Amino acid sequence: MRMPLRWLAEYTDLAPGTSGADVAAALVSVGIEEEDLHGGDITGPLVVGRVLELEEQVQKNGKPIRYCVVDVGENGQMLTEGKHQEIVCGAQNFEVGDLVVVVLPGATLPGGFQISARKTYGRVSNGMICAEDEIGLGHDHDGIIVLTRLLGEEASADLKPGDDAIALLGLGEETIEANVTPDRGYCFSVRGLAREYWHSQGSPEGGFRDPALVETPASNDLGYTVRVEDDSPIDGVAGCDRYVARIIRGIDPTRPSPAWMQQRLTQMGMRPISLAVDVTNYVMLAVGQPLHAFDVDKLSGSIVVRRARPGETLTTLDDVERTLSPEDLLITDGGEHLLAIAGVMGGASSEVDASTTSVLVEAAHFDSTSIARTSRRHKLVTEASKRFERGVDPALAATAAQLAVDLLVEHGGGTVDDGVTDLDRTTEPPAYLLDVTEPSRIVGLDYSRERVVKILRDLGCTVDESGQGTDETHVLVTPPSWRPDLVNDSPGPDYAEEVARIDGYNNIPSVTPTPVEGQGLTHGQKTRRVVADALAGAGFTEVLTYPFVAESLADELMLPADDDRRHAVRVANPLSEERPLLRTSVIASLVDALRRNVSRGHKDVALFELGLVFRPGGPLGRAPIPSVLQRPDADTLEQLYAAVPDQPRRAGLLATGLVERAGWWGPGRAADWSDAVAAVRTVATALAVDVVVANDPGHAPWHPGRCARLTLPDGTLVGHAGELHPKVLAALDLPPRTVAAEFDVDVLVSASAEPVQARPFSTFPPALTDIALLVRSDVAAADVEAALCAGAGEALESVVLFDVYEGERVEAGHRSLAYRLTFRAADRTLTTEEVNGFRDAAVAAAATATGAVQR
Amino acid sequence: MSGPNTNYDPVEVSALDPANVDAAVQEALTAIAGAGSLDDLKAVRIAHQGEKSPLALANREIGALPPSAKAEAGKRVGQARGRVGQAIAARQAELEAERDERILVEERVDVTLPAVRRAAGARHPIELVSQRLADAFVGMGWEVAEGPELESEWLNFDALNLGPDHPARQMQDTFFLDPVDSGLVLRTQTSPVQIRTMLEKEPPIYVVAPGKVFRTDDLDATHTPVFHQIECLAIDKGLTMAHLRGALDAFVRIMFGEETRTRVRASYFPFTEPSMETDFVCFACHGTGHDESGAQCRSCGGSGWIELGGSGMVNRKVLRACGIDPDVYSGFAFGLGIERALMLRHGVQGMHEMVEGDIRFSQQFGMEV
C-alpha cells in the first residue's frame, strides 16, 4: 500500500520537514513495515517529449534498438545545438507521435542513478526515454511510459513537449510503500495508515482527521432495488451483509478526472482511466472501501447478489472468460444476467465506458472467506479482493458511497438520485470483558490500567468501565468496526499486542528464559555428527542436494522392477516437470552434485550427504485433518503419524578421480571400490559398531562384481558400497569407475545405542605367526577370515590379511591369502607349541569352511 | 711388569718423573685438542689412554716403587690420567654434539613442499551453523527436536492456525503431493516440529528445531526451493514476550556477536499472538540505507534493516490443538532461515553457492564456523 506524504498530511499532522524516511520509521515503530520509498529523489530535467522520428536496427545480439529523435521543447540539445534530442532506446512499445517521459543529461534518477550523454549501440544517447520502474512510478519494466496510455487521452491532450514531468507525475513528492500484514486490512487505505502514523506520534488530541466522517442520507424506498439471495453461505456466514447503491445521472462522459486525482492515482501505482473509475479507485485508496461503478443504462432489473450456478461463466474486465464455482458470489442483473464476481472483478458487459452518463455506485461488504476462496480459485488478485480478503470496515459502505457521489457530482456535473439503497445486516461486534492486567502478563512489562484504557480508546475501541462485569481490573471493550481481527473467542492476546505495539515493542525488556533441565543432544543427534565428521575426516565433502529426481532415474540406476526404491512420492506441483519425484536414496540426488563438480573441472571429487529419503513403499495414504479446537484423540493422532511415509535418514557418498594425490612423492591413487567400503567401515569404527562385509552380486546401482553388502553381526542391513555399474555411470553421464556407498544412519544409531563394554587386554607378550592359504578365487576373504577367527580360539588377538597373490605361482582359479595371526593369552606367555596348535586349528577351520589349503 | 725393587731409588725412574708425567699430559691434551673427528679422538684415546700410552706405562712402574714413594707417584700419575680422561670425555662430547648438529643440517628438507596427500573433506556450513546454534541453546538447557520433511498438512498448517482459507496459507507456496488430497505436503516450515513436540511432551518444553523446509520458489540469488530453518519453542508457566526477547537476543549474540543492533516490531503470524518481527542493522550499509556512492543499498533495499525472522507468543488456538491449556501455560516461538544467517555472517553472496554442491564452497569453511 502506497501513501504520498501530502495525502497523509491531509488526515493527520505532519511536522514541517518530516521526510519519507521519518514517516517510514514512525510507522515501523507501530508495526507497519516499510516496503519501499518512492519519489522525492529525482532531480530534473525530466520532461514530456514527443517522438518525432525513429529508426530501428536489429543488433548483432538479435536485440532491436531504436534510434529516436524526440522533441523535448526548449531543453537539452535544442538549447546547446539547436536540434531535437537524439536518444537511443531499447523498448518497442511506442510509435512516432507518442508522448513519452524523457530524462535529460544532468538529471538524477531514484537510487542515485546519474544521467549523462553516453555512447551506446554506436551512437550518442542524450538521455533516456523512461520506463515506470526507472522513475519509481511502479514496478513495470515491460516498456517505456506512453503518457496517453498512462494518463488517458483527455488528460494528455494539453501536454506539450518540454513540460515538467516531475510535477506532472507527482514524482517530486515522497510516497511511502508499506507492507500490510493480513490482519490489518484497514491499513490498505490512507485513512488507516494515517491513523497508525498518528498513533506513532502519541495519538495527540485532535491529530487525526477521519476522512470517513461525512454525513450520509438514510436508506429509503426510492433506491435501486437490491436483493441478497445467498442460499449457500460459507460456514454459515452470509456472503454479503451490506449493500449500498447510489445513482448519479447526467454525468458528462467527456469530463476527465481532475489532474490532482490522476496524479495521486499515478503515485499510488494505479492508472487513471475515466472519471467514474478514477473516483471509485480514489475513494477506495482514501478510506479502504472497494467500490464498483455500473453503467445504469446497461442494467435492466434489480441487482441480485447470489452464488453462482454450476457451469455459469462470466467474462471479467480483464477479458478472461471464467467458469464459476457454486461458491463464487456474484452480482447479477435481475438474477440472470451476470454483472460481476462480487468483491473481485466486474464483468465486461456492464463496464462504464466513454458514453456512460448514469452510474450506479456499489459499496458493499462481502465475507472475507468467500472472497479469499474466489480470488484463489480464479487466481485473480485485485485491489478489491485484497481488501475484502483481509476485512473491510463494514461501517464504511454508506460513507464511501457518499464520498464517491460527491466527487462524481463535483467533477462530472451529474445529479444524485434521491433514492438511497442501504441493505444493512451487519452487527455490532460484541463487547469483551478485558482483564487490564492481561497485556502486562503476556508482554512482561507493567502497563497501568489508565495506559491500557487510553491506548484502546485511541485505537478506536469503546471502553466501558462501568458495565456489567467491570471492576478494578476488568473493562468492557468493543473494537472499532475496522478491526475484525480483534473479534475472536479469546482476544486477550490481540489486545495485548495492540497495547505493546502502541506503547512500543522496543520498550519490552529482555529476560533470558531459564529452562529447568536439558538432556543435551540425543544419542541419535550425536551419532549423526560423528558420521558426518568421520566422513569429512576421511576426505569427503558434505553437500546438500535437492531431493527432486527424474522419473527416468530408477531405470538409469537399473533398479529391478520390484525394488522398493521404485516406490517414490510424486510432487503434484513440481518446480520442473522433469523432476517430479522425491528421492528414495541419497545417491539418487547426490549424482547431480558430482556431475556439476566434474563439469566445473574438478577431476578428483569425493562427496557425501546425510539426509532423509522418502520411502512410502507404495501409494501415499490419506492423513486425516482433524479439528483444531482440541487435541486430536489417540486414534486420530496415530493415523496422522502413520500416514506420514517412512523417511529413513541415510548417508550417501560418491568418489571419482584420485583419492590420494599425485605429487613430488610419486603417483596418486585413484578411488576404487575399496575406498567406498573403507568409508563405511571408518564410520562404523568411529561408532564402535562391528560390521560384516559380504560380496553382493546383485544390488543396483552397483557393479555386480564390485559391490559390498554391509550388515551388523546380527544380519541387519547397514548399506552397500563399491563401484557403480558401468551402465549406470554411462546413463548418468558420470566418470568411469565412480565409486559409491549408501548406508542407513538410523541403523548405526540403534547399533551404537548401548554403552560400549570394555574388553580386558593382556599385558603378556604377543606371539606372531604367518600363514599362507591357497583358496579358490571365488571364496570371499571375509569367509576365510571368519573361519580363521572361529578356529583359532580365544587367544587370537588379531588377524591381518597382508598379502593377496594371484598368478603363475599358484594354481589357476585360485589365489593365495597371507595372514598374520597374533596370539596372546590373558594369564601367561604362550609357548611355541601352544601357538602352533592354535594356528593349526585356525587353518583346519578355514580348510573345512572354505577349502583353504596351507601353502 | 717388575716386582718391587727395594733397592731402587724412585727418583731414578724417569717415567715417573713429574716433568715427564707433565709432558705426557701436555702431549695428550694437545693431541686431544687436535682431534678433529670422533675417529681422530679414538686414535688419540688409544695413544694416550691405551695400555701402551706413556701414562699407562708410568702407572705400571708405580708397583715397583718402595712403599714410601708409591703414594706420591700414584697420586701424580692418577691425577695426570684423570686430566687426560676428562679431556677426552669433554672432547668426545664436543665432537658428538658437532656430529649430531651436522646430521641435522644434512637431513634438512624443504618443508614447504606440498605435504597433504589426501584431499581434506569438509562439512557443509549450513549444517555447521545449525549445530552451532543448537549447541548454544543446548548449553542453556534447551533440547533439539526433529521431525519428518514430508509432513501431514494438519501438522504443517491446520494445527498452526493456518486454516484452508487463511490468507497466510496462500503466502506459503507449498509443494503438494500426489494425490493432492493425501493430506501430506513437503513441510513449508519447521513449525510442525513444534506441534509434534507439544503433542508428545508435557510442558515445560524448551526445544530448538533445525531442519530442511520446502517452498515452490525457483532458485535465484535470494530464494531456493529447499532451505533450512531453525526454530525455537518454549512452553512453560509465566513465559512472556520479555522472555521471547531474551531468547532472541541470545540467538543474535551467538550468531552475529555482542555488538549487533536489533529492533523489534509488531507483525502478524497466524501461529502467534502477539507477533513480533526482529530486524538487525544491515551489515552492508550499517543502517544508512545507501552505499558509498550514494546509491540505494542492495542488501537491505535502502531501509537499513534486515529481517532476522518472525516470532511471537504461541497462539492460544495452537496450544489448544495440542492439548495444552492456554490458561495455565504460555509460550513463545521464533524461527529464522539458516541460509540468510550464513549470508549475513559469512558474506555468502547468493543461494546458488549454497545449493549447487560445488566442493569449493564447503571446503572453505573447515569443520567449525
Side-chain angles (χ1 to χ4, degrees), chain A residues 35-51:
Chain A
E35 180 93 40
D36 218 340
L37 262 179
H38 305 277
D41 51 354
I42 293 186
T43 53
L46 185 82
V47 299
V48 173
R50 186 181 297 280
V51 181

Side-chain angles (χ1 to χ4, degrees), chain A residues 364-651:
Chain A
H365 186 253
F366 300 116
D367 169 34
S368 56
T369 303
S370 177
I371 300 299
R373 287 194 189 174
T374 295
S375 168
R376 197 156 61 228
R377 188 178 303 119
H378 296 290
K379 296 192 169 58
L380 187 57
V381 177
T382 62
E383 292 293 327
S385 74
K386 267 197 299 199
R387 288 172 173 80
F388 281 121
E389 205 178 295
R390 289 166 173 79
V392 166
D393 181 352
L396 264 182
T399 310
Q402 186 63 45
L403 290 170
V405 163
D406 292 346
L407 285 166
L408 282 169
V409 170
E410 182 183 350
H411 300 287
T415 52
V416 61
D417 275 13
D418 290 337
V420 175
T421 307
D422 186 350
L423 220 69
D424 188 357
R425 291 174 194 153
T426 58
T427 47
E428 272 276 292
Y432 172 68
L433 190 64
L434 177 74
D435 178 349
V436 292
T437 65
E438 193 171 2
S440 303
R441 232 174 19 250
I442 290 175
V443 178
L445 174 61
D446 279 337
Y447 304 105
S448 67
R449 174 193 172 108
E450 292 66 33
R451 181 87 179 119
V452 171
V453 169
K454 160 88 166 68
I455 287 174
L456 295 180
R457 286 197 170 130
D458 287 343
L459 287 168
C461 298
T462 307
V463 181
D464 175 353
E465 298 185 77
S466 56
Q468 191 182 1
T470 59
D471 55 25
E472 311 84 72
T473 55
H474 289 82
V475 296
L476 278 165
V477 188
T478 310
S481 55
W482 59 87
R483 294 298 303 271
D485 60 305
L486 296 177
V487 184
N488 59 58
D489 60 359
S490 54
D494 301 81
Y495 284 114
E497 176 174 296
E498 290 304 291
V499 171
R501 176 174 82 86
I502 300 302
D503 185 75
Y505 261 39
N506 284 301
N507 295 336
I508 302 172
S510 174
V511 178
T512 307
T514 49
V516 192
E517 58 184 31
Q519 302 292 313
L521 294 177
T522 63
H523 168 67
Q525 288 158 352
K526 287 181 197 154
T527 301
R528 270 146 38 196
R529 291 188 181 187
V530 171
V531 171
D533 288 347
L535 288 173
F540 293 85
T541 296
E542 185 172 30
V543 297
L544 300 169
T545 62
Y546 292 167
F548 309 116
V549 300
E551 279 182 276
S552 57
L553 189 70
D555 289 338
E556 285 157 355
L557 291 173
M558 297 175 70
L559 302 183
D562 59 349
D563 195 298
D564 187 49
R565 288 169 292 172
R566 278 192 180 264
H567 294 293
V569 174
R570 179 180 296 271
V571 176
N573 54 334
L575 276 185
S576 157
E577 292 297 337
E578 284 162 21
R579 289 170 171 261
L581 303 182
L582 297 183
R583 67 179 181 192
T584 55
S585 69
V586 173
I587 290 179
S589 60
L590 198 55
V591 292
D592 298 333
L594 180 63
R595 204 167 29 237
R596 180 171 290 125
N597 276 287
V598 171
S599 75
R600 289 185 179 177
H602 304 306
K603 289 194 178 65
D604 311 321
V605 186
L607 303 176
F608 82 97
E609 179 175 4
L610 211 159
L612 301 189
V613 301
F614 306 88
R615 301 291 283 269
L620 288 184
R622 297 277 197 286
I625 301 197
S627 158
V628 293
L629 296 178
Q630 72 281 314
R631 178 191 169 96
D633 60 42
D635 283 352
T636 311
L637 267 185
E638 199 174 303
Q639 284 173 39
L640 202 56
Y641 291 148
V644 175
D646 198 19
Q647 295 164 61
R649 194 176 297 268
R650 306 183 65 121

Side-chain angles (χ1 to χ4, degrees), chain A residues 373 376 497 505 508 510 519 525 528-529 533 541-542 546 570 572-573 596-597 623 626 647 661 664, chain B residues 114 117 122-124 135 143-144 146 150 154 164-165 174 176 178 182 224 245 249 275 356-357 362-363:
Chain A
R373 287 194 189 174
R376 197 156 61 228
E497 176 174 296
Y505 261 39
I508 302 172
S510 174
Q519 302 292 313
Q525 288 158 352
R528 270 146 38 196
R529 291 188 181 187
D533 288 347
T541 296
E542 185 172 30
Y546 292 167
R570 179 180 296 271
N573 54 334
R596 180 171 290 125
N597 276 287
Q647 295 164 61
R661 294 165 171 159
W664 54 267
Chain B
R117 300 181 193 206
R123 299 290 313 279
H124 197 286
D135 286 346
E143 291 178 1
V144 177
E146 290 152 332
L150 199 167
W154 190 82
D165 292 311
T174 307
F176 290 94
D178 184 43
S182 62
T224 160
R245 275 202 86 171
D249 286 346
S275 300
E356 281 172 341
S362 292
Q363 285 178 351

Side-chain angles (χ1 to χ4, degrees), chain A residues 199-273:
Chain A
H199 291 320
S200 76
Q201 304 305 302
S203 317
E205 194 75 33
F208 176 63
R209 295 174 288 279
D210 189 347
L213 288 181
V214 291
E215 288 289 315
T216 57
S219 181
N220 56 40
D221 296 340
L222 308 170
Y224 203 88
T225 311
V226 174
R227 294 201 309 275
V228 176
E229 298 175 352
D230 182 3
D231 46 16
S232 53
I234 295 173
D235 299 335
V237 179
C240 175
D241 58 5
R242 190 164 188 193
Y243 199 102
V244 172
R246 301 287 300 276
I247 290 175
I248 309 101
R249 298 179 198 271
I251 295 172
D252 177 356
T254 66
R255 298 260 293 264
S257 42
W260 62 263
M261 190 184 291
Q262 295 195 23
Q263 196 192 82
R264 284 220 166 140
L265 291 173
T266 310
Q267 286 174 326
M268 300 297 274
M270 296 183 86
R271 274 152 207 261
I273 292 165

Side-chain angles (χ1 to χ4, degrees), chain B residues 113-142:
Chain B
L113 286 171
V116 180
R117 300 181 193 206
R118 249 197 121 93
R123 299 290 313 279
H124 197 286
I126 293 272
E127 295 291 325
L128 296 178
V129 166
S130 299
Q131 284 186 12
R132 179 188 178 84
L133 288 166
D135 286 346
F137 272 77
V138 164
M140 293 189 285
W142 297 54

Side-chain angles (χ1 to χ4, degrees), chain A residues 90-103:
Chain A
Q92 309 292 308
N93 65 328
F94 62 99
E95 303 301 331
V96 168
D98 277 346
L99 283 174
V100 295
V101 178
V102 179
V103 61

Side-chain angles (χ1 to χ4, degrees), chain A residues 2 24 33-38 139 175-179, chain B residues 296 301:
Chain A
R2 293 188 177 209
E33 191 198 358
E34 164 196 346
E35 180 93 40
D36 218 340
L37 262 179
H38 305 277
H139 298 295
T175 297
I176 284 177
E177 188 170 351
N179 187 5
Chain B
Q296 195 175 68

